[in-house]
Amino acid sequence: MINDDEFRLALVGAGRMGHHHMRALAGNRTVRISHVVDPVPQARAAVVAAGLPAYPSVEDLLAETAPDGLLVTAPTGRHGALVAAAAKAGLPVLCEKPAGLDAAEAAEAGRVAAAAGVGFQVAYWRRYVPQLRRLRERIAGGELGEVLFVAASQWDGEPPAAAFRTGSGGIFVDMGVHEFDQIRWLTGQDVARVAAQPAGHVTDPAVRGRDVDSAHALLGLSGGGTALVSLGRHYPGGDMAAVEVFGTRDHVRLMFLDPADGDATMYAALARQAEDFAELVRTGRSEGAQVADAVAVLDAAHRATAQLTQSHEVQPDR
């Protein structure tokens, strides 16, 4: 049965992250994926077999129907063009992070959406994890005292394909933007300084010089504290993410994404994020990441990436 009050999202990009969103919203009573757009015929065929209408382009979709919003999960290099297509049609956009390969692309996507008067939100799902939201409230309320140090880690079970890694901007733009956003959001502080260091080992020869298997960044925060971002592509058992905060009054450590729990935490957060996006479109209120957040995060990620590039240049041949 179709619920007329449901918010209908058209999903653009039926790849790995697109399927995560589809699973997260399966059975949701507030938001549902109503249509899918993907240029790859095999991907469209799989979607149709699962019972959803699929189209090769946003233009083909809009020639037949008008959803309530667009959920962009296509490769990062296409984010800007898809936001522009949605804005031209007057469709609000929930865009997967990072909303562009660099800060200028994210800023332009936000400008185009604002000029068209459509809602635009960047999908940083960790803002909807209850444990992290409580930690943010405790920090804002002064329970931890002054923040001295934040350690944020994300290690994936295995590396993605080389084609993805060489086109996604590298480990800090692909993965680390989550940690940069999380640190800014939790502490209410900006990233003032960045010092980055890669590990020397790269298991896939096809990505050498374009990406690394592990990298770390030490950040100076605008409030006087420091933070560490630790990223890696080899974690036994599956994907993990954790954060640890040291304050003058208290200390908290959370492993909020645990391989033992599978994707349950992420799916629940993705559903809350979609519901919040529907609230943004209907009322103008949202707790999600906005354009300024995406720009600041990509700026920090590129400062870290630039230092990795310099490190590659001075490393001896292996």
Side-chain angles (χ1 to χ4, degrees):
M1 180 182 294
I2 300 298
N3 180 356
D4 291 337
D5 293 329
E6 283 181 327
F7 189 90
R8 299 174 308 129
L9 274 175
L11 176 75
V12 185
R16 177 175 177 270
M17 199 63 207
H19 279 90
H20 281 317
H21 281 277
M22 283 191 276
R23 286 192 286 270
L25 290 172
N28 190 285
R29 299 176 65 86
T30 302
V31 182
R32 68 181 175 94
I33 303 295
S34 57
H35 307 80
V36 176
V37 174
D38 198 289
V40 179
Q42 296 92 329
R44 293 198 303 276
V47 168
V48 171
L52 284 173
Y55 305 82
S57 70
V58 172
E59 290 74 18
D60 289 314
L61 164 74
L62 295 176
E64 188 171 303
T65 187
D68 298 313
L70 220 60
L71 171 54
V72 174
T73 60
T76 303
R78 296 182 58 209
H79 286 184
L82 289 168
V83 171
K88 182 179 179 181
L91 282 179
V93 181
L94 174 59
C95 184
E96 255 303 331
K97 61 81 184 169
L101 287 169
D102 57 34
E105 287 188 10
E108 177 62 11
R111 186 198 67 76
V112 168
V118 299
F120 182 70
Q121 183 174 324
V122 184
Y124 281 105
W125 61 263
R126 296 184 190 177
R127 294 179 176 225
Y128 300 90
V129 174
Q131 292 171 288
L132 295 176
R133 292 170 71 89
R134 287 193 295 270
L135 175 56
R136 182 173 185 254
E137 290 169 1
R138 291 190 64 196
I139 293 172
E143 291 184 33
L144 273 68
E146 296 296 326
V147 174
L148 301 175
F149 179 64
V150 182
S153 304
Q154 180 188 177
W155 284 67
D156 286 353
E158 60 184 9
F164 174 84
R165 295 175 70 180
T166 56
S168 64
I171 198 165
F172 281 115
V173 173
D174 168 35
M175 292 176 65
V177 288
H178 271 304
E179 275 59 47
F180 289 120
D181 182 70
Q182 181 178 292
I183 289 166
R184 293 182 71 252
W185 175 71
L186 284 174
T187 65
Q189 300 182 37
D190 290 322
V191 177
R193 298 174 304 282
V194 179
Q197 179 65 44
H201 300 288
V202 179
T203 53
D204 188 345
V207 304
R208 283 204 182 103
R210 302 285 296 278
D211 193 23
V212 296
D213 284 7
S214 174
H216 316 279
L218 182 63
L219 315 179
L221 303 179
S222 59
T226 58
L228 174 69
V229 171
S230 176
L231 306 171
R233 300 193 186 274
H234 300 276
Y235 188 79
D239 299 348
M240 69 79 69
V243 65
E244 192 167 12
V245 182
F246 295 80
T248 55
R249 294 181 181 173
D250 206 350
H251 159 265
V252 175
R253 185 182 189 279
L254 298 174
M255 188 173 187
F256 59 90
L257 189 63
D258 189 330
D261 300 326
D263 294 318
T265 296
M266 180 177 68
Y267 285 173
L270 289 176
R272 294 187 192 100
Q273 178 178 255
E275 291 164 1
D276 182 65
F277 176 65
E279 182 74 8
L280 169 68
V281 174
R282 288 168 171 164
T283 70
R285 297 190 298 271
S286 171
E287 297 179 349
Q290 303 303 313
V291 176
D293 300 308
V295 169
V297 165
L298 278 166
D299 176 69
H302 272 273
R303 281 187 277 165
T305 301
Q307 295 191 26
L308 293 195
T309 303
Q310 293 166 7
S311 297
H312 282 307
E313 291 172 352
V314 299
Q315 284 179 353
D317 293 335
R318 296 181 181 275

